[in-house]
């Protein structure tokens, strides 16, 4: 069982819909991330939360709204998306600070905007 | 300029071959280095961390050259199951643990 769990695994939504992606980590990490991976493109960092505080918003459009209610949970709220937002959205966590370790990924949510 | 650059490949090699990938990074303040493996339509998974002195894990050897800012991965005796995309990753600890990913190098191991 993965230490980072994402739901749903697949999502199809219309451009006027509102949906949320959920991520939960069971590793006791203090940093969580949202990445976007479009076809044939590298992973793009979207947001970083460290100790539940957003420390990075990588020029992401406001139609993507993250929420981190506690160190184990991370959400990505979606509204009025565009077809070009269709991609694999990956959540990751790591033990930040001086004892930095690698990032552990969830299985991703494959999003299709129609 | 990209933080991390990799040759996208694909590298097509026969089983049993030795193959090497290189990656360069732009920020000399990078402090942690990793190789990840990503299978088609799956999430990236850690293959190995890269240490300054170089390190080996079975058939895989990773090297770091800080002076030239490049990282390498050597795979010996390639298996069909090694076919995947290999991602080079660097981390800037001072910058809130941001992980920068290369675009990946695709490896196809043929029978």
């Amino acid at each position: 069982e993965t230490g980072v769990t994402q739901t749903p695994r697949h999502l199809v939504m219309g451009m006027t819909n509102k949906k949320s992606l959920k991520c939960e980590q069971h590793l006791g990490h203090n940093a969580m991330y949202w990445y976007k991976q479009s076809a044939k493109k590298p992973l793009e960092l979207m947001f970083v939360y460290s100790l539940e505080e957003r420390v990075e918003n990588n020029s992401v459009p406001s139609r993507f709204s993250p929420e981190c209610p506690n160190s184990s949970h991370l959400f990505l709220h979606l509204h009025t998306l565009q077809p070009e937002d269709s991609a694999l959205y990956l959540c990751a966590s790591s033990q930040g600070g001086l004892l930095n370790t690698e990032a552990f990924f969830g299985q991703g949510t494959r999003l299709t905007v129609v | 300029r990209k933080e991390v650059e990799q040759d996208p490949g694909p590298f097509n090699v026969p089983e049993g071959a030795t193959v090497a990938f290189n990656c360069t990074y732009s920020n000399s303040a990078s402090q942690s280095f990793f190789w990840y493996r990503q299978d088609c339509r799956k999430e990236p998974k850690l293959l190995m961390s890269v240490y300054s002195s170089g390190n080996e894990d079975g058939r895989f050897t990773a090297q770091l050259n800080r002076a030239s800012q490049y990282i390498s991965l050597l795979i010996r005796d390639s298996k069909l199951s090694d076919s995947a995309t290999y991602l080079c990753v660097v981390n800037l600890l001072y910058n809130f643990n941001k992980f920068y990913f290369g675009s990946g190098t695709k490896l196809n191991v043929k029978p």
Side-chain angles (χ1 to χ4, degrees):
Chain A
E1 181 182 333
T2 178
V4 181
T5 305
Q6 287 187 246
T7 55
R9 294 288 305 280
H10 301 272
L11 177 62
V12 179
M13 61 186 287
M15 289 189 283
T16 58
N17 290 159
K18 288 184 181 181
K19 296 286 185 185
S20 295
L21 310 185
K22 179 183 175 182
C23 176
E24 183 174 359
Q25 59 98 0
H26 314 276
L27 301 168
H29 290 164
N30 58 20
M32 296 187 76
Y33 312 79
W34 280 116
Y35 283 88
K36 174 184 177 182
Q37 189 173 37
S38 303
K40 301 187 187 301
K41 287 187 176 180
L43 274 77
E44 300 171 43
L45 179 64
M46 300 176 73
F47 301 104
V48 180
Y49 277 82
S50 178
L51 297 171
E52 303 157 41
E53 180 181 342
R54 190 191 312 180
V55 296
E56 178 77 16
N57 177 347
N58 206 23
S59 302
V60 179
S62 59
R63 57 186 184 269
F64 295 92
S65 174
E67 178 191 359
C68 186
N70 55 62
S71 60
S72 299
H73 293 86
L74 186 65
F75 295 89
L76 188 62
H77 304 299
L78 317 170
H79 65 97
T80 58
L81 294 192
Q82 305 298 312
E84 59 265 29
D85 296 323
S86 298
L88 178 67
Y89 289 84
L90 290 158
C91 173
S93 71
S94 75
Q95 185 57 41
L98 295 177
L99 296 177
N100 184 60
T101 63
E102 68 272 21
F104 291 79
F105 284 86
Q107 293 175 296
T109 296
R110 190 160 296 280
L111 173 67
T112 304
V113 181
V114 297
Chain B
R1 184 182 175 185
K2 292 180 183 177
E3 292 282 348
V4 181
E5 302 224 37
Q6 293 182 251
D7 179 347
F11 285 57
N12 298 307
V13 304
E15 270 188 290
T18 295
V19 61
F21 308 137
N22 289 326
C23 151
T24 58
Y25 59 95
S26 61
N27 195 326
S28 59
S30 300
Q31 293 171 280
S32 299
F33 309 88
F34 310 93
W35 282 102
Y36 276 72
R37 170 192 170 131
Q38 186 172 25
D39 293 288
C40 187
R41 302 181 73 82
K42 296 283 185 71
E43 76 276 22
K45 292 184 177 177
L46 178 72
L47 178 67
M48 57 196 304
S49 300
V50 186
Y51 303 118
S52 297
S53 55
N55 48 300
E56 187 174 307
D57 183 1
R59 298 181 294 109
F60 299 86
T61 301
Q63 295 280 352
L64 168 64
N65 185 320
R66 285 189 184 270
S68 302
Q69 294 181 205
Y70 82 77
I71 307 154
S72 65
L73 177 68
L74 182 77
I75 305 176
R76 290 181 299 278
D77 188 23
S78 299
K79 311 290 185 192
L80 295 176
S81 56
D82 293 334
S83 297
T85 296
Y86 290 83
L87 304 168
C88 176
V89 184
V90 303
N91 179 282
L92 278 71
L93 272 175
Y94 74 86
N95 197 3
F96 295 107
N97 305 308
K98 287 177 66 173
F99 292 86
Y100 294 94
F101 285 75
S103 56
T105 298
K106 187 163 177 55
L107 172 66
N108 296 315
V109 181
K110 312 279 189 187

